[in-house]
Amino acid sequence: MTSSDFTPIPGLLASLDLLQITQCDAVAHVRLNRPAKRNAISDGLIQQIHSAFLNLPDTVKAVVVSGAGDHFCAGLDLSELVQRDIQAAILHSRMWHAAFDAIQFGRVPVVAVLHGAVVGGGLELAASCQIRVAEDSAYFGLPEGQRGIFVGGGGSVRIPRLMGTARMTDLMLTGRVYDADEGDRYGLVQYRVPTGEGLAKGIALARKMAGNAPMSAFAVMHALPRIVEQSPGEGLFTEALMAAAASNTPEAQDRLRAFLDGRAGKVVKS
Ligand code: 1HE
């Protein structure tokens, strides 16, 4: 499966003009498609991202997100940052939260393929995905500090959990920008690939994730991030409930039987 095998998903998703949404087998590819504006996230784009993730066809089991042009995403569309009253500003931020929650706590896992600028709201978008792949060209910043604003797309919740509060504080207060190697070293991404190889890597990872039992994927996406926020005692109890639910699905029973019968793959180092 390569990116040229993907074809547009008809219907509602085809009407989202700021995105390009295609599918091949069980993998969907959602590409931010405002390259002239470096995929800056306007109100229209954040609404379309939300709508896309709420309306994925049932046949989709994993998603790849990428950006058209030379950059993944330049963050909030600053041309729309007009004077809002406090309530409108809160609701604007909550609109981003709803869209990125639909990614993080959606039905299927998501891989972000990152190149060029991954800044501000672009980094917040990437942080809401389960897996991040960075090409050599990727760089990470939080220019909110320089723009006189604050993160509003879930960044203060998700980004410290990836790289730590001290590093996020540094990026925001000093304008420091991490290159791809630093992003890798500090936990922003799980995979580093040469320029031009990100999409192929993202698709390969999405294919693997699409093959997981749905309840296992659900447990990793929905239970794991909540368990790590619980006290150890509560976490262990939640883990036990989730483990019992996952292992009692027919799919788990089939997979366990297949291994015991010698029909399933062994764990191998790739
Ligand atoms: C934009 C935006 C944008 C580009 N909003 N229009 N984000 C930032 O502070 C990042 C601002 N952008 C940049 O630093 C640079 O544009 C890039 C490093 C991303 C790319 O540089 P480059 O040289 O490739 O492009 P460019 O010439 O700067 O921009 C091309 C066009 O995109 C230009 O418009 P044009 O009409 O003059 O062609 C730019 O104005 C436009 N453009 N970025 C609006 N961000 C929920 S809270 C989240 C808070 C944040 O995300 S704050 C961080 C905002």
Side-chain angles (χ1 to χ4, degrees), residues 47 49 57 77 109 120 157 218 240 262:
Q47 285 162 4
I49 292 170
D77 187 325
V157 169
F218 177 85

Side-chain angles (χ1 to χ4, degrees), residues 36-38 40 71 74-79 96 117 119-121 124 139 143-144 147 149 152-153:
K37 295 293 179 185
R38 307 315 186 242
H71 301 279
L76 174 72
D77 187 325
L78 296 170
S79 70
W96 280 58
V119 301
E124 295 181 297
Y139 59 94
E144 286 86 344
R147 308 282 179 236
I149 55 178

Side-chain angles (χ1 to χ4, degrees), residues 252-268:
Q253 299 296 322
D254 289 349
R255 287 172 183 237
L256 297 171
R257 176 59 52 207
F259 177 76
L260 296 174
D261 292 347
R263 290 181 285 111
K266 295 186 185 185
V267 176
V268 288

Side-chain angles (χ1 to χ4, degrees), residues 41-51 76 80 84 88-102 152-154:
I41 302 180
S42 57
D43 285 0
L45 181 51
I46 197 72
Q47 285 162 4
Q48 291 194 12
I49 292 170
H50 194 185
S51 179
L76 174 72
E80 291 187 352
R84 295 187 180 94
I90 293 170
L91 290 173
H92 181 261
S93 170
R94 298 295 289 157
M95 179 169 73
W96 280 58
H97 293 165
F100 292 171
D101 268 8

Side-chain angles (χ1 to χ4, degrees), residues 123 134-141 162-163 167 170-171 175-192:
L123 182 52
E135 294 193 348
D136 289 337
S137 64
Y139 59 94
F140 306 92
L162 298 177
M163 66 176 181
R167 292 200 174 93
D170 184 16
L171 263 56
R176 184 171 178 177
V177 173
Y178 286 157
D179 64 20
D181 285 335
E182 289 168 316
D184 185 22
R185 196 178 317 136
Y186 300 145
L188 284 180
V189 305
Q190 295 102 321
Y191 295 89
R192 272 280 284 112

Side-chain angles (χ1 to χ4, degrees), residues 107-256:
R107 184 176 57 78
V108 297
V110 183
V111 189
V113 174
L114 309 173
H115 74 298
V118 184
V119 301
L123 182 52
E124 295 181 297
L125 165 60
S128 68
C129 301
Q130 280 75 27
I131 305 289
R132 285 161 293 281
V133 176
E135 294 193 348
D136 289 337
S137 64
Y139 59 94
F140 306 92
L142 291 167
E144 286 86 344
Q146 282 63 55
R147 308 282 179 236
I149 55 178
F150 189 58
V151 286
S156 61
V157 169
R158 294 190 178 98
I159 296 171
R161 285 173 168 77
L162 298 177
M163 66 176 181
T165 308
R167 292 200 174 93
M168 178 164 173
T169 302
D170 184 16
L171 263 56
M172 291 204 70
L173 287 183
T174 71
R176 184 171 178 177
V177 173
Y178 286 157
D179 64 20
D181 285 335
E182 289 168 316
D184 185 22
R185 196 178 317 136
Y186 300 145
L188 284 180
V189 305
Q190 295 102 321
Y191 295 89
R192 272 280 284 112
V193 295
T195 294
E197 294 181 18
L199 197 51
K201 182 70 179 176
I203 291 169
L205 294 168
R207 284 189 74 182
K208 285 189 188 175
M209 296 195 295
N212 289 326
M215 188 64 110
S216 287
F218 177 85
V220 175
M221 291 174 61
H222 291 257
L224 180 59
R226 293 184 165 100
I227 289 170
V228 298
E229 302 300 334
Q230 294 178 334
S231 69
E234 289 167 329
L236 291 174
F237 190 70
T238 308
E239 178 187 273
L241 294 177
M242 193 67 247
S247 63
N248 272 272
T249 56
E251 191 134 26
Q253 299 296 322
D254 289 349
R255 287 172 183 237
L256 297 171

